[in-house]
Amino acid sequence: MHTTKVGNAGRCGPRMAAKGWNARRGNKNHAQWTRSRHVVRSVDFESVEYVDPAEAVMPKEPPPEPVYKLKFLWLEKNIAVCVDQMLKKDNFSPMTEYFFWPRKDAWEELKEALDAKPWVSERDAVLLLNRTTEVINFWQEEGVKHSLAEAREKFPDCEFIGS
């Protein structure tokens, strides 16, 4: 780590230095600016402190994890499931089409669709598939006809549409 004096390199010396530019004397005592490959740690009007990028410890926040929401179409003879991905707060975009159960094997089709999306982690896919299994089992319980309100109450993290 070293400190470089900006000195009389002009009125914008510290500002230019803060943006990664170094002042050096050129012809006729005019300042010439060259781009630095260093990270500026601190700037005041007297000096600029540069740090080699290899030595710099920049706090990095992990990118936010994608958020997915299961949507179910709750029908009398079928149940359908699809996955939406959150883009911004409360703004979702469809990620898969609806897969119907028991017309087809919705679980297997959903698994194939999630496997085809490389940005969906294995952990997220397993969680989505497990929740899908729970909802389908709840929908098809023998001897019990659950209402849409009961499904919404039991699975608040999912969205239910239907009759």
Side-chain angles (χ1 to χ4, degrees):
M1 192 172 10
H2 65 279
T3 302
T4 304
K5 292 282 186 185
V6 175
N8 296 328
R11 298 174 119 228
C12 63
R15 287 190 204 119
M16 292 293 285
K19 294 178 181 175
W21 292 87
N22 292 327
R24 69 170 195 216
R25 295 285 175 210
N27 295 340
K28 300 180 185 174
N29 286 335
H30 293 296
Q32 291 181 347
W33 295 94
T34 58
R35 195 66 154 148
S36 170
R37 292 182 180 246
H38 291 74
V39 177
V40 177
R41 179 176 283 175
S42 66
V43 176
D44 59 31
F45 288 103
E46 294 298 317
S47 64
V48 178
E49 187 177 356
Y50 293 98
V51 180
D52 190 338
E55 298 173 10
V57 179
M58 303 298 275
K60 289 187 178 180
E61 293 182 23
E65 288 192 30
V67 177
Y68 305 105
K69 180 180 255 187
L70 285 168
K71 288 176 74 173
F72 291 92
L73 188 56
W74 195 269
L75 304 170
E76 194 169 317
K77 295 185 179 187
N78 294 300
I79 186 169
V81 60
C82 76
V83 179
D84 287 355
Q85 183 174 2
M86 185 170 81
L87 302 175
K88 294 181 181 176
K89 185 179 180 183
D90 296 329
N91 187 7
F92 286 86
S93 175
M95 196 170 81
T96 67
E97 65 270 21
Y98 277 97
F99 302 107
F100 287 85
W101 175 270
R103 201 180 305 169
K104 291 186 177 181
D105 189 356
W107 189 92
E108 191 61 40
E109 289 179 336
L110 180 59
K111 182 183 182 314
E112 290 172 7
L114 293 174
D115 288 344
K117 312 246 184 273
W119 66 89
V120 178
S121 70
E122 185 177 343
R123 176 189 162 276
D124 288 339
V126 167
L127 292 172
L128 290 167
L129 290 168
N130 285 346
R131 178 58 87 190
T132 300
T133 301
E134 292 172 12
V135 173
I136 289 174
N137 288 341
F138 181 75
W139 176 82
Q140 68 180 6
E141 272 184 23
E142 287 188 38
V144 181
K145 185 72 176 163
H146 293 288
S147 70
L148 192 58
E150 289 173 319
R152 286 181 179 142
E153 185 179 323
K154 183 162 174 93
F155 304 103
D157 57 324
C158 300
E159 187 176 332
F160 293 90
I161 305 166
S163 54

